[in-house]
Amino acid sequence: MSSELRLEARLTREQLIAQHELAGPLPRRWAHSQGVAARAGTLAEIVGDRAALINSAAVLHDVGYAPRLVVTEFHPLDGARFLRDEHGVDERVTRLVANHSFALLEAEERGLREVLEAEFPLLEDQLLVDALVYCDMTTTPDGEPTTAPERVAEIVGRYGADSIVGRFIRRAEPEIYAAVARIEVALSADQPR
């Protein structure tokens, strides 16, 4: 089997996992995941041979919200454990899922930072980490493109400023904007002049 066919089969498998877990019980979360994956598809030129990794992490990043997977009530950790334990998903993908969009800061708010760091250390590939932040934080809950400031405001509005998520996202806000800016610079540098 050619490497292209293997890649397509792997992506299809991961899309099916996300669809199976999210489409029925959480159609809006599924729409968001599809939008994040579509956004990831626009980054192929800057991520190069790691495009399959970012696409996989993008479609799977919120799988931990699936009601049957909730254990800790912290979706990055629940999702990464599910992907690792039930599906044997690539370790880099599970680490991206576990740490997406500065989840370590939310883990700290929830008293789970040490657990997250021990099980799923942050991937050292800054470009992939930034790429997933960019894809997630520039996609609405309905899967449409947005800006990072609009997305942060939407999250705070949905959860409330004093909630765990509201506190976390405000702490992460400068890091989110920096990651999105790095990807935007890389995208603009990749454009012919």
Side-chain angles (χ1 to χ4, degrees):
M1 182 184 291
S2 75
S3 62
E4 270 186 42
L5 288 176
R6 283 193 305 270
L7 175 62
E8 184 179 321
R10 187 171 84 228
L11 291 176
T12 300
R13 173 183 171 248
E14 290 159 354
Q15 288 170 338
L16 289 172
I17 292 168
Q19 182 180 27
H20 176 77
E21 298 299 335
L22 297 173
L26 301 170
R28 193 170 189 214
R29 188 67 60 185
W30 173 232
H32 170 71
S33 295
Q34 290 177 293
V36 173
R39 192 70 123 172
T42 70
L43 302 182
E45 292 298 317
I46 64 169
V47 298
D49 64 355
R50 296 164 294 177
L53 290 173
I54 195 62
N55 283 315
S56 296
V59 77
L60 292 168
H61 80 286
D62 275 351
V63 74
Y65 277 114
R68 76 176 197 91
L69 305 182
V70 175
V71 175
T72 67
E73 296 188 16
F74 181 46
H75 79 278
L77 183 58
D78 292 340
R81 284 175 171 169
F82 163 73
L83 295 170
R84 177 193 64 200
D85 299 344
E86 290 192 32
H87 292 283
V89 170
D90 184 294
E91 177 194 4
R92 295 166 296 175
V93 172
T94 61
R95 288 169 64 187
L96 283 166
V97 167
N99 288 285
H100 75 273
S101 300
F102 302 99
L104 199 57
L105 295 175
E106 185 177 348
E108 190 173 292
E109 291 278 337
R110 294 176 180 276
L112 293 169
R113 183 180 179 122
E114 289 178 8
V115 172
L116 185 64
E117 286 178 314
E119 280 189 58
F120 301 100
L122 184 63
L123 202 63
E124 293 177 12
D125 187 332
Q126 190 65 52
L127 180 61
L128 287 183
V129 171
D130 286 351
L132 188 54
V133 171
Y134 169 83
C135 295
D136 187 22
M137 290 296 143
T138 61
T139 304
T140 69
D142 297 310
E144 299 299 321
T146 190
T147 66
E150 289 171 344
R151 176 81 162 116
V152 168
E154 181 277 321
I155 291 168
V156 171
R158 184 166 24 118
Y159 288 94
D162 293 329
S163 69
I164 288 175
V165 175
R167 290 190 308 268
F168 140 71
I169 204 74
R170 295 311 252 184
R171 283 181 59 207
E173 190 171 12
E175 299 296 330
I176 290 167
Y177 296 159
V180 168
R182 287 189 293 269
I183 295 300
E184 289 172 341
V185 166
L187 284 169
S188 66
D190 190 54
Q191 297 300 311
R193 301 195 191 271

